[in-house]
Every structure is written in C-alpha cells, then in structure tokens.
Amino acid sequence: MRELIVDVERVEALIAEMSLDQKIGQMVQAERSTISPDEVKAHHIGSVLSGGGSYPGDNRPEDWLDMIDAYWDASLDTPLGIPILYGIDAVHGNNNVRGATVFPHNIGLGCANDPDLMARIAQVTVREVLACGVQWVFAPSLAVARDNRWGRCCESYSEDPEIVVSYAGRFVGALQDDLGEDSVIACAKHWVGDGGTTYGIDQGNTEVTKAELENIHIAPYYPAIEAGVLTIMASYNCWNGDKCHGHEYLLTHLLKGEMGFGGFIVSDWEGISQLSSDYGDAVALSVNAGIDMFMLPETWRKFIGHVRQHVERQTVSMDRIDDAVRRILSVKSAYGLFDRPKPSQSYWAGHRCFGSQEHREVARDAVRKSLVLLKNTDGLLPLDRDARILVAGKSAHNRGYQCGGWTVEWQGVCGNDLIEGGTSIWEGIANLAPQAVLHTGGADVDAGAYDVAVVAIGEKPYAEGLGDIRSGDDVVVEVGSQISGLMKLQEAYGESLELAELHPEDLQTIEDIRAKGIPLVVVLVSGRPLVINRELNAASAFVAAWLPGSEGQGVADVLFGDCDFQGKLSFSWPKSEDENTNRGDETYQPLFPYGYGLSYSD
Ligand code: GLC
C-alpha cells in the first residue's frame, strides 16, 4: 500500500493548538452558494465544493480561479492558516466548466477495457481541473451497477467487478500521481454498494449477503486503497436496511480497520440527514459511525452547533473529533497543501491546455475505443466517404445529449451552445463525408437521394435518481436541494427500459427512413443498455455509443473504418424489460452477453 507522507509533527502541533470550534470547522464542507469567504474564515471551514451545475461568473477558468483564490485567502487569513480544499465532480473530465474536454462517461470507458487509456484520461482531467484552481475531485466512481434501471449506470464502468478492479488503482494513481503539482486528490465513491440496490432505485436498499457485498461492491476499493486514495465518499444507500452513512461496521471497523484506509471519509450531499428525523441524532450517529468530513451545503451552520453540544454532553467523544481532524489534516499535509501557492499561482492555473486539441485527441481516442458494434448485416459498415449519406435522429447534432448528465449543469444540457469545442456526431461525419446531409426528421426525405442513413437516437441527459427507471409507487424521486428551492418530487426518467416506450420518436424516425428503402445504421446514445428489439430489427447495423462526450468525431472515425471497433460490452444487454441478468448469473440468456462486440475484422 502506498504510504502517505505526512508531516506528523505539524499535524499534531495543529491539533494540540486547535480549539473545539476550529476542529469542528475543519470537518465541514460547505457549498459555494451557501458560504462566503468571510464565513470560511470565521468558522475555520475545511472545504468548499461546487455541486453539479454550481459555477461562478461566466463559468470560465478565470472565474473559478478568482472564486477559489478568495476562499483560499480567507482560510489562510486565520490564526492557524489551514488552507481549504475545493472539491468538484470531475467525473468525465472537468465537466463542470464550459470549454472543457468532456470524456465518455464511465460505462463507455468500461467497454474500452483499457487501463492505460484510463491513466491518460486521468492526466488530462488533472490538468483541466488544476487549470481552474480545484484540488479535489469526487472521482472515480467504483460503482458496480447491477440493474440497468439505476439512473447512475453511466457512472459505472461495469456490472461486473473485474473491469472496475482493473481501473480503480490505475485511475486513482494517475489522478494523485506523486501528489506534486501535477496531481489532485481523488475520491473513491460511493462506499458501499451504491450499484446494488433493489430495482436499481437510487439511494435505495442493497440487499445482499456479506460475501456478495465483498465480491461485487467492495472488491474495487482494495486496489484504490493500495494506490493510496486519499478520500472515500460514503454512499446514500442502505445495506440490508442500514444506512451506510451511519454504519459503524462499514465505515470504521471494515474500511478504516480491516482494510487500512488511512485517508478521510466524506459524507455525500446532506446524506447524514437521512439517518434520523432528528438532525441532532443524525449528527451524532454519523460522526460516531466514522464519517470525518461532512458535505453539508444546506445545514453546515447547525451542524457546528450540534457537534459542539454532543462533545459537551459527551455523546460524541473528543477522541473521535481528533481522529477525524487528524485524518483531514493528514490528507492536506500529504497533498502538500500547506506549502502550495494559492490556486491562481499554481503551475496549471489558467493553462492553455484547457480544452486544447491535444486533450481532445485523448477523448476522441477514448470514444473510438468505447463504441460497441452490435450488428452489421450486409457489411453496411464501414461507410464509404463518398456515399450520399443521410444523417438523422435527435442525437445526431446535439453535443449536450452526447455528453449526458454531470455536464455544465447537474442534469446535463441540450443542444450545442453550452458544449463549446468538440464535435457532434453529425459534425464528425460531415468532416469526413462531403456528401453527408443532416436531416433531423425522416419522413420527408427523398428516397432516391441517399445510399445510406445514419440515425443517432437515444436518451436525453439525466443524473442520479432523475435517471432512474421506476414504476408503480416508486415512480416519484426526491431530488435537488433546498439551496435553490429545487427540493421537489420529480418524475423519474421513465417507467420502462424499452426504448420504444421511452422515446417512440426514435423508432418513428428509423421506420420513416426504412420505409424509403434506405439502409440504415443506428447509433444509440444512452447511459445504459436499453431494450431495443424493434429498433435493432429495423437497422442493418447498430452501434452502442453510450455517452461519448464532447468528441463526436470519434464516432465518425469508426463508422468510416479509419479505426476498427474494439469495444466489448461491460454490461449484459437485455432482450426484454423484465430480464435483469449479469455476468455469472445462473440463468443467463441476454440478447448480447458481457464481452460481446463485433469488429470489421470479424
Ligand atoms: C451527489 C452525488 C455525489 C456527488 C455529490 C457532490 O449527490 O451522490 O456523487 O459527488 O453529490 O455533487
């Protein structure tokens, strides 16, 4: 296991000098929209985050540097001068910021099955995150998604631990590197069993035996810890009815004890509030269970008061507080935070590499490697560059759709304006085929004018529970946050995994074009396998493109044969709505099995 190099003397001297309030402050992570630099100073706050879609000014690197400098300076303008950590969800590149290189979501990277590629992606992500002054990323997700109805399947590399295990250490190691100026702090998430909930309900109940939890969901954390991951995020879900955020066995005895995790555990967004209707009880339960830093965008102020009260009443011990603060300060020391310049003065701050063509080439290569060819009858693919190509479908010219959730906005965006740089699938095709024509519909095309059609269709962006497929009483999802008054009950993404149910407009487009006698290739832009029997039957060729991110050119490169398909399914593909099988299940008869993927050389 990689040893943390900590200035123990400095950490212990700080702890000896710190007041209770200063210690509690270090355990707090507030959100940029609920705390000012002055409040960071007044309350000795340890960290600030940006939630998905929470950005400063015009959402440019310089806006981020100005904002984070202000928090940094405020945290240093205190008797102890402990710098804050700024954290964001850079889960497929620095996806929050306009103009960033946006990588394929994890489900596509799992199909690429290329750990070396993951290290290259991590390095680009590090530089584009540091360019904005951020030091801590809430990645990688080590979820092993077992049910395609989960709204976060796209954040999972695979339904099976094998690929997730092979990526965990490489990605953490490349993000954290030597903890020098070309590194950020990583955060393995969500501990534990987030991808195993019953019916795939987000933040639901993972009902599995200890052996299943170990073999499927815990397995990827061993290589992450071996690689020296400095933070781990607790998960919203329950394990057999018990919330992870209050689970002393999982957080303290297993993760910190048996597995030897030496960094700190951060809660998920207001996750502790789910432990009890009495907030004070929830605070004691989560602190005593072993959470060290508390992501409390909405409740950080009252949290401080409750912890102070619990210590005075001895319902939370001073030893536990010191343990949490020691872990937090040790991570800051291991990262060299005390000796770093302010974010805008760091080497990569505002660097021209941000969104550069060099970085985009890495993402383009990731796209090529992520695509899975499910069908190619009559050798329709590869396409001829000089062919008369009709390009259609709602996802053909929509960089927002191809990026999916967690892109500029929490729930992603629609259209091309907010995804600056990069190429849509259409733009990628047009770059290679002079006779290609974009035609969003399909009904009124001239049959004789085209040799072949490329129809890009699929899901619209979503994140977390809003991506769930739910039916019956579970159909309502409580999401959002009190901050912007967005806490409301919203509909989940849909009630069926059948694409023709979710988006009948897609099948309509396909059938309209097929009725003209034009052979067609379907490119599916989705965050998970869907039931696609009708669309598949109508297509001569079918490509699973997942959520490719900003570099749609990578899709065109493979469609025209400049590169061969190499992607293999890291998720089993279901043949029907009610079939949810995973690699290794006893009854395993998917439409396309784990590991399936055609290529031109086949
Ligand atoms: C969200 C997600 C978590 C993310 C955090 C901060 O609720 O569960 O993955 O890192 O909040 O945005």
Side-chain angles (χ1 to χ4, degrees):
M1 181 181 309
R2 181 189 191 132
E3 286 304 308
L4 296 189
I5 300 172
V6 173
D7 182 344
V8 175
E9 204 173 307
R10 180 176 202 161
V11 168
E12 293 308 322
L14 276 170
I15 290 175
E17 188 185 349
M18 289 166 83
S19 69
L20 176 57
D21 279 351
Q22 287 168 330
K23 291 177 179 176
I24 297 171
Q26 280 300 304
M27 295 167 67
V28 170
Q29 179 182 54
E31 211 273 347
R32 57 167 288 280
S33 57
T34 63
I35 196 165
S36 66
D38 287 345
E39 289 170 313
V40 162
K41 175 178 173 180
H43 297 279
H44 325 287
I45 298 298
S47 175
V48 179
L49 87 142
S50 276
S54 177
Y55 48 74
D58 195 28
N59 195 17
R60 305 288 177 190
E62 52 270 27
D63 299 308
W64 284 81
L65 289 166
D66 290 346
M67 170 184 71
I68 300 171
D69 269 3
Y71 285 121
W72 177 274
D73 291 342
S75 65
L76 291 187
D77 186 17
T78 56
L80 297 170
I82 301 173
I84 60 114
L85 272 178
Y86 202 94
I88 55 168
D89 293 279
V91 293
H92 59 142
N94 190 0
N95 40 262
N96 299 279
V97 187
R98 292 175 69 167
T101 304
V102 183
F103 285 92
H105 266 291
N106 287 350
I107 191 167
L109 300 177
C111 294
N113 197 4
D114 183 341
D116 292 337
L117 171 66
M118 296 309 293
R120 293 165 59 211
I121 291 172
Q123 186 182 65
V124 167
T125 301
V126 165
R127 292 174 179 179
E128 296 205 11
V129 163
L130 291 173
C132 298
V134 178
Q135 307 105 346
W136 181 18
V137 299
F138 306 131
S141 167
L142 300 183
V144 181
R146 307 290 285 172
D147 191 313
N148 298 338
R149 287 169 290 190
W150 188 34
R152 305 190 75 166
C153 273
C154 68
E155 296 181 65
S156 169
Y157 297 120
S158 177
E159 68 183 25
D160 182 275
E162 183 180 358
I163 289 174
V164 190
V165 165
S166 74
Y167 280 5
R170 285 301 297 275
F171 199 71
V172 166
L175 283 178
Q176 295 189 166
D177 192 40
D178 61 357
L179 295 177
E181 67 179 19
D182 202 358
S183 64
V184 295
I185 294 173
C187 181
K189 69 184 186 182
H190 308 81
W191 176 262
V192 66
D194 50 351
T197 60
T198 304
Y199 308 125
I201 289 182
D202 187 46
Q203 305 186 14
N205 189 17
T206 297
E207 299 170 279
V208 294
T209 63
K210 174 71 176 354
E212 286 166 329
L213 192 74
E214 275 278 357
N215 298 332
I216 297 171
H217 302 287
I218 291 176
Y221 285 84
Y222 287 97
I225 292 169
E226 188 66 26
V229 69
L230 289 172
T231 69
I232 289 177
M233 187 180 294
S235 188
Y236 285 120
N237 64 275
C238 294
W239 176 37
N240 295 335
D242 296 323
K243 279 280 178 187
C244 291
H245 273 72
H247 209 295
E248 185 170 359
Y249 168 73
L250 289 177
L251 297 171
T252 298
H253 301 298
L254 179 56
L255 183 57
K256 293 178 177 177
E258 291 176 36
M259 296 173 70
F261 172 58
F264 70 78
I265 299 173
V266 61
S267 76
D268 203 336
W269 184 294
E270 296 294 341
I272 68 168
S273 304
Q274 298 177 2
L275 296 181
S276 167
S277 54
D278 178 296
Y279 185 81
D281 288 349
V283 169
L285 285 168
S286 51
V287 174
N288 289 330
I291 291 182
D292 304 303
M293 184 177 279
F294 294 78
M295 186 189 295
L296 299 171
E298 299 150 41
T299 63
W300 64 268
R301 290 176 181 82
K302 65 179 182 176
F303 171 82
I304 293 171
H306 279 290
V307 176
R308 191 184 307 116
Q309 207 172 59
H310 281 303
V311 171
E312 285 156 6
R313 293 177 181 166
Q314 297 185 343
T315 42
V316 168
S317 72
M318 202 60 224
D319 285 351
R320 176 71 266 277
I321 299 295
D322 285 347
D323 171 53
V325 174
R326 182 169 290 110
R327 286 174 176 269
I328 292 165
L329 296 182
S330 297
V331 165
K332 291 187 173 185
S333 169
Y335 183 62
L337 198 65
F338 294 99
D339 305 314
R340 283 179 186 260
K342 73 191 236 180
S344 64
Q345 306 304 312
S346 73
Y347 178 81
W348 294 102
H351 198 279
R352 59 165 184 73
C353 76
F354 182 85
S356 63
Q357 195 48 40
E358 181 191 352
H359 282 181
R360 292 180 188 280
E361 285 304 314
V362 177
R364 180 178 174 179
D365 191 35
V367 174
R368 294 174 186 141
K369 292 178 174 173
S370 66
L371 306 177
V372 180
L373 181 59
L374 299 178
K375 177 181 182 182
N376 188 24
T377 49
D378 313 327
L380 187 64
L381 291 176
L383 299 176
D384 176 349
R385 287 180 180 224
D386 297 325
R388 299 170 303 158
I389 302 170
L390 166 66
V391 179
K394 69 172 188 279
S395 309
H397 187 43
N398 195 320
R399 293 196 294 272
Y401 282 6
Q402 65 192 52
C403 287
W406 294 105
T407 312
V408 179
E409 298 297 342
W410 177 44
Q411 292 295 318
V413 296
C414 173
N416 296 303
D417 297 348
L418 290 174
I419 310 294
E420 295 171 0
T423 41
S424 66
I425 293 167
W426 152 247
E427 289 165 329
I429 292 172
N431 286 339
L432 301 179
Q435 295 198 74
V437 171
L438 177 66
H439 202 300
T440 45
D444 54 353
V445 299
D446 169 5
Y450 301 102
D451 304 313
V452 64
V454 177
V455 183
I457 44 98
E459 293 186 302
K460 297 181 179 178
Y462 51 74
E464 301 193 54
L466 288 180
D468 279 4
I469 298 295
R470 297 189 182 186
S471 52
D473 300 340
D474 291 323
V475 74
V476 167
V477 181
E478 184 180 295
V479 287
S481 74
Q482 305 290 7
I483 296 174
S484 42
L486 271 180
M487 177 59 81
K488 58 185 180 186
L489 300 180
Q490 298 189 7
E491 289 284 297
Y493 191 78
E495 298 193 29
S496 164
L497 275 169
E498 185 141 5
L499 180 59
E501 293 292 319
L502 284 174
H503 293 287
E505 71 278 12
D506 292 342
L507 183 60
Q508 188 62 58
T509 301
I510 291 168
E511 290 180 340
D512 287 346
I513 290 171
R514 189 162 178 258
K516 305 278 184 176
I518 303 170
L520 61 94
V521 186
V522 169
V523 176
L524 178 65
V525 174
S526 70
R528 56 193 150 200
L530 297 168
V531 177
I532 51 161
N533 302 333
R534 297 166 69 181
E535 296 81 359
L536 185 68
N537 291 338
S540 299
F542 200 103
V543 177
W546 314 113
L547 296 171
S550 57
E551 308 310 310
Q553 185 69 58
V555 176
D557 294 340
V558 181
L559 291 180
F560 286 94
D562 291 2
C563 313
D564 197 351
F565 285 94
Q566 78 169 56
K568 306 294 182 191
L569 289 179
S570 63
F571 281 77
S572 309
W573 203 288
K575 64 163 83 75
S576 67
E577 173 71 56
D578 51 13
E579 174 221 297
N580 183 57
T581 52
N582 295 301
R583 181 195 194 193
D585 286 357
E586 276 178 34
T587 52
Y588 185 64
Q589 293 172 328
L591 182 64
F592 299 110
Y594 179 101
Y596 179 88
L598 301 175
S599 68
Y600 294 138
S601 55
D602 280 344

